[in-house]
Amino acid sequence: MTRKKGARLMLDALFKPKSVAVIGASNRKLTIGYRIIQNLIDSEFQGPVFPVHPKAAFIKNLPAYPTVKDVPYDVDLAHIVVKNTLVPSVVEQCGEKGVKVVIINTAGFKEIGGDGIDLEKKTLKIAKKYGVRVFGPNCQGIINSDPEVRAYCNFTFTPLEAGRVSLFAQSGGVGEVINNRLFELGAGLRMYASNGNAADIDVCDILEYWAEDPGTKVIVVHVESLSDPKRFLDVASRVSRLKPVLGMKSGRTELGARAVSSHTGGMMKQDTTTELIFRKAGIVSLSNEEEICQAAVALGSQPAAKGNRIGIVTNTGGPGIIVTDEIIEAGCTMPDLEHERQILLKEKLYPEAIVSNPIDVLATATPEHYRMAVEALLEDPNIDIAVVNFITPFFVDTEGVAREIVDLASKAAKPVLPVVMTNKSGWKKTLAIFAEAGIPVFDLPETGGRVAGVFAQHAALALKKEEKPFSPTGIDTESAQSLIESAESDAYLKQADAFSLLKMYGIPVTEYAQARSPEEAAEKASGIGFPVVLKVESSDVVHKSDEGGVILDLKDHKAVTDSAKSIQKIFPGASLFVQSMVEPGTEIIAGAFRDDPAGHVIMFGLGGILVEVIKDVSFRLAPLTPSEADSMIAEIKAAPVLDGIRGQRPKDRDAVREIILRLSSLLSDFPQIAEMDLNPIIVYEKDRGAVVVDARIRIGNQLKE
Ligand code: ADP
Ligand code: MG
């Protein structure tokens, strides 16, 4: 059997168990052992349930057994709800019985540290011996709403309702909140998993399983930390090609919010890396539970979008503007319809109707008007997503309008997102038309706009996946290798070495040389050509210029010797770094730090001292694709500076992009690079290039907080 097939069969025993034993079942209502039995009964689990209890003959009306080994039938899945210290022996019994998977609800393992860690190891070892797979410990369990299974192997309260969204939540609390919200939205759930300590079966196993589950149309993942980010990236990238994956990470901070120094590593704390992993894996990252639920339900019932161009139909102006604000903030566009289509609509709609985007069909619009307007959006090649605002007037056949929207939405190849603003008890029948057709509606225009933004993000991520990675020409990996290997570990490279390394990867740097004495500096300066810049060579100094370690624009021999002397006065015995003085231009910063085990995080922003205050920086995980480099540049607020503001000529964006991509190649080839900071890179006008004037590169261990 292949490993993959084996893994799937193993998860079949978890998600589609033919029988379930509950070890630690109880007749006392306020216990987990009671609740799991009750939930299996309430959800009409399609297989037998075997309560295990040392003394009781029955748990509820089900015959109970003293140990799992006494159950006279095969047991696929066993819930373990006994005291933590008893778990190893119970797992042993499960092994002897031939149980395939155990859900260990019991807490008191790795999460408590000390003895708990040993207990978890011991339990796993026993499970391995018998080939029993472990879900948990310290977890809730699973739910599968497949009508042929109906396994509610969990102790939570949300009723089982079949849907198309499968939900993984590291935190059981968050999982239950999302599950409950999906239920309230009338959407239900396909499968659910909350695996607590994840000692064995992990999020990746589950994602792979759901990727192959035809009933799962959308996957929602909530994580707090990723134990194996590389594997997650790999698995999630594959899964997100097959179906939309929405991710939520709690404990996040806004990127760049903690920028405290020009030290790249200090610009971002570890917990934001998960979002970068999401993005790279093609997971749409969302920040709140409501949005994730609304988006998941819509993605589950509507086709994916091909782009970010939104068309809006509305029968009242204000809500149309609210949708507009939301989608523009989400980076979408709102093109007008093709001219002929506008003319046609002008003829068919009320004369006062507006046929540009948003199309305002007016409050008295008839079902036919709605049909024509929505159809126009669906047929127009400039539009990828249709948002249909509908406020229900007394004087309109609202059920007729609903039927037209539903008819189009059910057949469309583009997503149709209806926002129905109404009095829910007064317009029950109208709403029921949507519900019966499985077309989700939003109560508020901002929700519709946000969800449209999620469809657009998903489209962008899907497009990006087709992209080939960047492969640089003219790099000298061998020389770079020997430079890095001979570098002192856990120390900054000398500036000359840092510049050499960048040069080997085709990153433009100024002319440079190192010198020990003022005389040597002057000699090297003549070789480079005046004017030059003189800098102190010291790995202890983060901001050389703040401490008098940078002297610019030295025009002759004497200026260099004098300046060298003054630098050596401030830094006795220090070596010197001589550089050609380059023309002023726009200063940018690019940097990176290694965030093990996820890899290198690359940063980009406008340079200068303001970067520390404004925190206007963007981050991505290496290696970068060309479009990732583009979006890093476009994402910062100051990006228009590169286009040239107030009459300035545009800057050489291509040169910036090339530097970022080459930087990414350098990092991918050399995981030994712990951090680097190119600050500033001076960028010139279009076609005139960019050049690095200051570089700090550290080889060695990960940056420590
Ligand atoms: P610091 O250690 O303070 O960051 P830098 O080497 O970045 O020192 O130099 C400080 C500033 O001096 C830069 O931001 C840049 O404006 C200017 N500068 C440095 N080197 C050069 C150079 N070779 N040509 C022109 N300007 C330079
Ligand atoms: Mg600098």
Side-chain angles (χ1 to χ4, degrees):
M1 195 186 320
T2 62
R3 193 183 162 263
K4 206 169 167 201
K5 198 163 170 212
R8 189 169 67 238
L9 285 180
M10 177 271 291
L11 285 197
D12 272 347
L14 174 68
F15 284 106
K16 301 176 185 169
K18 294 201 172 63
S19 58
V20 177
V22 181
I23 306 171
S26 172
N27 276 316
R28 285 181 293 128
K29 282 197 172 167
L30 298 182
T31 60
I32 289 180
Y34 177 91
R35 181 42 52 190
I36 291 169
I37 298 271
Q38 187 67 53
N39 282 351
L40 281 161
I41 295 170
D42 290 348
S43 65
E44 294 170 5
F45 174 52
Q46 297 295 292
V49 177
F50 308 117
V52 173
H53 187 280
K55 294 191 216 84
F58 290 91
I59 297 290
K60 298 189 66 79
N61 54 3
L62 297 167
Y65 304 90
T67 76
V68 71
K69 286 162 74 179
D70 301 310
V71 176
Y73 306 95
D74 285 348
V75 176
D76 262 3
L77 170 69
H79 262 281
I80 300 179
V81 204
V82 299
K83 198 166 172 284
N84 64 345
T85 48
L86 298 178
V87 169
S89 61
V90 167
V91 170
E92 183 100 45
Q93 291 168 358
C94 288
E96 285 164 5
K97 169 71 186 161
V99 172
K100 292 179 187 135
V101 185
V102 292
I103 295 177
I104 305 177
N105 299 105
T106 310
F109 290 87
K110 196 171 83 188
E111 80 282 3
I112 60 164
D115 292 349
I117 299 176
D118 296 335
L119 198 62
E120 190 164 308
K121 276 193 193 141
K122 187 175 168 191
T123 306
L124 260 190
K125 203 171 156 197
I126 296 168
K128 276 221 170 85
K129 187 170 81 185
Y130 292 97
V132 177
R133 300 299 306 259
V134 174
F135 189 88
N138 182 32
C139 73
Q140 276 185 356
I142 66 98
I143 298 173
N144 182 359
S145 72
D146 183 335
E148 284 174 24
V149 184
R150 300 190 64 86
Y152 200 121
C153 300
N154 201 347
F155 50 76
T156 50
F157 54 72
T158 304
L160 189 84
E161 175 82 38
R164 296 162 170 170
V165 180
S166 287
L167 166 64
F168 172 87
Q170 202 163 15
S171 148
V174 174
E176 177 62 355
V177 170
I178 296 178
N179 185 12
N180 189 51
R181 186 69 187 132
L182 289 170
F183 178 81
E184 281 177 354
L185 290 172
L189 192 79
R190 170 68 178 177
M191 293 193 205
Y192 173 88
S194 181
N195 66 346
N197 294 6
D200 176 16
I201 297 170
D202 69 359
V203 58
C204 297
D205 299 324
I206 293 163
L207 285 180
E208 280 187 323
Y209 186 74
W210 287 347
E212 290 182 24
D213 171 42
T216 296
K217 302 287 183 227
V218 184
I219 298 174
V220 171
V221 187
H222 168 267
V223 297
E224 280 164 357
S225 66
L226 290 169
S227 59
D228 188 350
K230 286 242 152 122
R231 181 162 168 249
F232 180 85
L233 181 61
D234 178 51
V235 169
S237 302
R238 269 186 282 124
V239 175
S240 72
R241 270 173 217 275
L242 302 172
K243 39 192 87 169
V245 184
L246 304 180
M248 182 173 156
K249 153 105 175 78
S250 40
R252 8 160 269 133
T253 51
E254 222 176 295
L255 288 186
R258 302 199 194 179
V260 281
S261 78
S262 73
H263 224 219
T264 310
M267 288 262 192
M268 194 179 86
K269 288 265 173 72
Q270 179 139 7
D271 54 1
T272 44
T273 307
T274 304
E275 281 188 46
L276 299 181
I277 294 171
F278 279 177
R279 189 198 281 255
K280 204 162 191 71
I283 296 179
V284 182
S285 179
L286 296 171
S287 55
N288 76 66
E289 290 154 309
E290 180 64 16
E291 202 174 339
I292 215 163
C293 291
Q294 299 276 4
V297 174
L299 279 161
S301 72
Q302 292 289 291
K306 300 246 159 41
N308 68 346
R309 300 165 307 168
I310 317 258
I312 303 171
V313 172
T314 193
N315 61 345
T316 166
I321 297 168
I322 291 176
V323 175
T324 306
D325 281 344
E326 288 293 342
I327 61 171
I328 297 301
E329 265 170 25
C332 301
T333 61
M334 251 178 66
D336 280 334
L337 272 66
E338 285 187 334
H339 189 62
E340 311 82 78
R341 230 176 289 280
Q342 290 194 41
I343 292 176
L344 200 74
L345 284 177
K346 196 84 212 159
E347 279 168 19
K348 304 253 167 102
L349 300 178
Y350 291 126
E352 300 82 6
I354 297 167
V355 297
S356 55
N357 195 1
I359 301 171
D360 190 341
V361 289
L362 304 184
T364 45
T366 63
E368 293 71 35
H369 289 163
Y370 258 97
R371 182 168 192 100
M372 278 184 285
V374 176
E375 223 162 23
L377 294 182
L378 295 176
E379 284 167 8
D380 198 290
N382 296 333
I383 302 294
D384 302 307
I385 301 166
V387 178
V388 184
N389 273 352
F390 178 40
I391 194 156
T392 52
F394 270 121
F395 36 83
V396 163
D397 171 13
T398 58
E399 288 163 36
V401 172
R403 273 191 293 273
E404 295 298 349
I405 299 173
V406 159
D407 182 53
L408 291 171
S410 323
K411 291 187 260 177
K414 296 177 188 176
V416 176
L417 307 174
V419 178
V420 182
M421 296 157 277
T422 191
N423 171 319
K424 282 189 181 145
S425 51
W427 275 263
K428 267 197 191 115
K429 277 191 177 165
T430 302
L431 288 168
I433 292 169
F434 290 97
E436 277 158 23
I439 306 288
V441 300
F442 311 104
D443 300 345
L444 298 171
E446 49 258 56
T447 317
R450 280 204 195 136
V451 169
V454 174
F455 273 76
Q457 267 191 66
H458 175 250
L461 291 167
L463 272 181
K464 209 193 72 195
K465 276 179 240 154
E466 311 299 322
E467 200 186 12
K468 287 207 180 77
F470 170 76
S471 56
T473 51
I475 57 169
D476 182 357
T477 312
E478 261 171 45
S479 303
Q481 174 99 20
S482 57
L483 190 153
I484 286 175
E485 273 169 9
S486 58
E488 201 182 322
S489 186
D490 239 359
Y492 287 93
L493 293 179
K494 287 208 169 5
Q495 291 168 81
D497 287 339
F499 273 54
S500 300
L501 186 61
L502 296 175
K503 233 175 130 176
M504 289 163 191
Y505 268 69
I507 297 173
V509 294
T510 62
E511 295 291 317
Y512 61 93
Q514 43 192 348
R516 290 183 183 279
S517 65
E519 293 69 30
E520 194 187 355
E523 196 183 302
K524 295 274 170 71
S526 319
I528 288 172
F530 295 102
V532 296
V533 175
L534 203 59
K535 296 180 183 175
V536 62
E537 177 65 65
S538 166
S539 59
D540 308 332
V541 187
V542 179
H543 302 296
K544 298 178 289 296
S545 47
D546 290 358
E547 301 183 32
V550 175
I551 304 179
L552 302 174
D553 205 13
L554 302 172
K555 294 203 168 67
D556 53 34
H557 205 274
K558 181 168 183 316
V560 175
T561 40
D562 288 352
S563 302
K565 281 178 194 158
S566 80
I567 287 180
Q568 285 188 330
K569 206 167 186 180
I570 305 172
F571 306 94
S575 285
L576 301 156
F577 184 59
V578 193
Q579 270 181 298
S580 51
M581 169 88 189
V582 298
E583 300 270 305
T586 304
E587 299 197 354
I588 60 162
I589 168 173
F593 65 96
R594 201 175 65 230
D595 188 5
D596 294 331
H600 286 110
V601 175
I602 299 180
M603 190 212 69
F604 168 76
L606 276 203
I609 43 173
L610 282 182
V611 68
E612 292 164 40
V613 189
I614 302 173
K615 303 156 195 165
D616 184 18
V617 286
S618 57
F619 296 95
R620 292 289 184 285
L621 213 57
L624 299 179
T625 61
S627 76
E628 281 178 310
D630 285 334
S631 65
M632 273 188 97
I633 300 170
E635 194 175 291
I636 62 165
K637 291 192 189 75
V641 172
L642 292 172
D643 300 327
I645 43 169
R646 312 194 71 166
Q648 286 176 356
R649 296 246 288 254
K651 313 291 176 245
D652 201 336
R653 227 182 224 250
D654 289 345
V656 175
R657 169 184 199 257
E658 182 83 14
I659 290 176
I660 298 175
L661 287 168
R662 285 179 178 271
L663 179 78
S664 162
S665 302
L666 174 60
L667 295 164
S668 304
D669 290 348
F670 298 103
Q672 301 96 311
I673 297 173
E675 56 175 309
M676 79 155 83
D677 198 4
L678 311 184
N679 184 17
I681 303 167
I682 300 184
V683 186
Y684 299 108
E685 284 172 3
K686 197 167 177 338
D687 299 326
R688 297 189 53 201
V691 60
V692 176
V693 304
D694 184 26
R696 265 166 81 79
I697 300 179
R698 191 167 64 85
I699 308 296
N701 294 327
Q702 182 167 3
L703 183 76
K704 290 179 192 79
E705 287 293 325

